[in-house]
Amino acid sequence: MSRDIDALTSYTLKHLRDRWWTTRWTHWVSSHLRCDPGERLVHVGCGNGEIDIALALATPGLEVVSLDVHPHRSHHTRELAGDVDVRVMAVAGDLRALPLAPASADAVLCIGVLQHLADPATAARALAALVRPGGRILVVEPDHEARYWFSASP
């Protein structure tokens, strides 16, 4: 990903966090992911890790795996998790070659990532392969007017 795209992603996610990422939004995401303690949630494109920390705090005992293509973001996520004493496994990796086993997640979260990929359909298949049978996927992407659309598996 180029620096220009990375800067755009940061702005897009900042807009999302500033506008929607409240306690109410954390509850909404949690209610759609329906994660229980002991389950594994993989957040693809974790950015700075704030979302993952909020979700881990909202569901004690939830195993949260934060994945981002930029190693410095994974490092920041680990530092942030240590600062608030919550366990989050932060991994640097690419959606096109996930460093996680197929069917190893109970739920997958992906916010503002697919819009930046040349082949989002292949990426969506990678997300689907990551989830165990009966698992859940929540994808959030903005449209051309910066409104956000949500797609959640049943």
Side-chain angles (χ1 to χ4, degrees):
M1 184 179 292
S2 76
R3 283 197 166 135
D4 292 337
I5 295 295
D6 190 36
L8 176 62
T9 303
S10 297
Y11 171 78
T12 301
L13 292 179
K14 181 179 183 335
H15 173 74
L16 176 64
R17 285 190 309 269
D18 289 350
R19 184 169 178 192
W20 284 327
W21 205 276
T22 62
T23 302
R24 186 174 175 192
W25 175 246
T26 300
H27 177 73
W28 185 90
V29 170
S30 295
S31 71
H32 281 76
L33 290 171
R34 299 185 319 275
C35 291
D36 292 321
E39 288 190 320
R40 176 185 261 192
L41 167 65
V42 176
H43 180 191
V44 176
C46 70
N48 65 11
E50 291 176 8
I51 292 168
D52 304 322
I53 303 305
L55 292 170
L57 291 170
T59 307
L62 176 65
E63 180 185 350
V64 178
V65 179
S66 304
L67 178 79
D68 202 284
V69 71
H70 299 285
H72 70 274
R73 290 183 178 163
S74 298
H75 178 74
H76 182 268
T77 299
R78 282 190 293 277
E79 285 183 346
L80 183 61
D83 289 347
V84 296
D85 198 28
V86 69
R87 187 173 167 205
V88 172
M89 184 172 84
V91 180
D94 193 312
L95 181 56
R96 295 168 291 187
L98 289 168
L100 303 167
S104 63
D106 297 290
V108 170
L109 174 63
C110 185
I111 301 176
V113 173
L114 301 182
Q115 65 182 311
H116 300 292
L117 303 179
D119 187 2
T122 297
R125 285 190 291 278
L127 294 175
L130 188 55
V131 179
R132 68 165 176 74
R136 289 95 46 211
I137 300 173
L138 178 61
V139 176
V140 180
E141 292 291 329
D143 69 5
H144 66 281
E145 295 177 7
R147 295 175 302 190
Y148 290 86
W149 298 99
F150 310 98
S151 175
S153 59

